[in-house]
Amino acid sequence: MSELKVVLLEQDDLMHPNTGESNFNESAYYNFYDRGQHLGGFIRLGNRANEGYAEMTACLYLPDGTVGFMFQRPEIKDNNAHDAGGARFEVVKPFERHRVSYHGKLCILKNPLEMADPARAFKNNPYSQAALEIDYAAVSPGWGGEVREKVGDQWVSPNLSGDPETQFAKGHLEQLGRATGKLVLTADGADREFKIDALGLRDHSWGPRYWQAPKFYRWLTMNFDEGLGAMATITVNRDGSERPGGFVARKGQPILNIEKVDIQTEFIGEQQLHDKIKVNCETADGGAPIVITGKVLSMIPLRNRRAGIVTRIAEGMTEWNWDGKIGYGLSEYLDHFDE
């Protein structure tokens, strides 16, 4: 029997071949939080070349409590680059340095919860022109990869099996980073400029994806300082099976896999959005359980619709506490609702 295991290759930080499924997706995502300014956010591009468009999301949590948000589906013809809708991602050196930019409009939401009804939110709130330029440098090794088969001395991708409509990603990687750069917001002829020095996490996924494939998931990203960060996640599949995972990254040490995850959540408000979080993790080395608590600082509910299902992706900029050490990151909760 041939050897199969999850392998991360240097080329995984670049664009992957389009394998032809109608819902083939290749996405890259970068988040960051500058704790000195209480400024953070994320930007994502998901190429759906076989459907003829990309999903572009830009979301910035601003120091005054407002959130700048934009979503577009710009037309694309191929999967050669992440460059659409005003967003552009460039891999300067795989797993070491990336350049990230967004030049376009942001809807400025005084009450970000209004984005539960996007048409109304976009109509009733003001806009700013945004120019975001950041240099994203790695502070940990990459984590993740793709299940690959050993053929000779090479690791190769086996042929996909199963229904592409039920799949969420063939391959996936994550990495902690430091984001430095600048954000300029322009409205009514006046500029607001922010210099950014932040920590964050990026991810990159490829393969068939519909947001409706899992039953639900929780994805928690955390940066405590440049030498300590973590990610914890749990996905519940439509058949009820669970896939926990994640990692802890400490400077100068190998990345440590998280094997068990239990997440307890307090939900609040009319929309029942996550607010307080307690996550218990067990790592592969058999060490003492890790307990981290979180409090959402700013929340925006995002929406995706397909085949009569409304999928809510709730994005909370979150403050984390791990044995008194304070960190920041995104808590992302995906759930489905019938229309």
Side-chain angles (χ1 to χ4, degrees), residues 68-299:
F69 179 77
M70 183 52 62
F71 177 79
Q72 298 180 51
R73 287 193 175 97
E75 180 181 339
I76 59 171
K77 298 186 183 304
D78 53 47
N79 190 49
N80 293 340
H82 280 127
D83 187 358
R88 185 169 188 266
F89 308 153
E90 179 187 359
V91 180
V92 179
K93 190 171 183 181
F95 293 104
E96 291 190 26
R97 187 178 169 215
H98 291 214
R99 288 197 188 102
V100 179
S101 64
Y102 174 67
H103 292 262
K105 287 183 177 180
L106 291 175
C107 181
I108 306 298
L109 298 148
K110 187 174 182 179
N111 177 11
L113 301 188
E114 291 179 6
M115 196 48 71
D117 184 345
R120 187 183 220 173
F122 282 129
K123 181 180 178 181
N124 294 333
N125 286 282
Y127 288 78
S128 285
Q129 192 70 22
L132 174 68
E133 297 279 351
I134 56 178
D135 188 85
Y136 212 93
V139 299
S140 76
W143 175 89
E146 180 185 323
V147 176
R148 290 185 161 103
E149 182 179 10
K150 190 73 174 289
V151 177
D153 60 354
Q154 302 289 319
W155 289 99
V156 300
S157 300
N159 292 328
L160 279 175
S161 60
D163 182 357
E165 293 211 4
T166 67
Q167 297 174 23
F168 198 65
K170 180 181 180 183
H172 178 84
L173 68 88
E174 301 190 22
Q175 186 177 34
L176 300 173
R178 182 180 178 192
T180 54
K182 184 170 70 171
L183 168 67
V184 180
L185 297 175
T186 304
D188 301 322
D191 289 347
R192 285 191 289 164
E193 182 173 323
F194 306 89
K195 289 187 177 178
I196 296 169
D197 188 352
L199 295 174
L201 177 144
R202 70 180 184 92
D203 78 11
H204 185 160
S205 299
W206 56 97
R209 167 182 287 197
Y210 282 132
W211 291 103
Q212 290 72 26
K215 185 176 180 180
F216 67 85
Y217 72 66
R218 310 314 186 208
W219 184 58
L220 315 176
T221 79
M222 312 169 189
N223 295 79
F224 294 91
D225 57 37
E226 199 162 299
L228 178 64
M231 182 279 291
T233 184
I234 186 162
T235 298
V236 175
N237 299 311
R238 291 286 183 175
D239 63 5
S241 61
E242 296 186 359
R243 289 190 292 116
F247 66 88
V248 175
R250 294 183 174 92
K251 191 172 184 177
Q253 299 181 33
I255 279 191
L256 190 57
N257 285 333
I258 292 173
E259 295 188 335
K260 292 184 179 180
V261 178
D262 177 69
I263 297 173
Q264 300 168 36
T265 307
E266 290 184 27
F267 297 90
I268 62 168
E270 183 181 347
Q271 298 185 45
Q272 284 296 284
L273 295 156
H274 63 279
D275 179 59
K276 293 180 180 177
I277 304 164
K278 182 178 181 181
V279 54
N280 292 269
C281 303
E282 295 183 22
T283 52
D285 65 347
I290 295 168
V291 180
I292 300 170
T293 57
K295 175 70 175 76
V296 171
L297 303 176
S298 182
M299 167 65 71

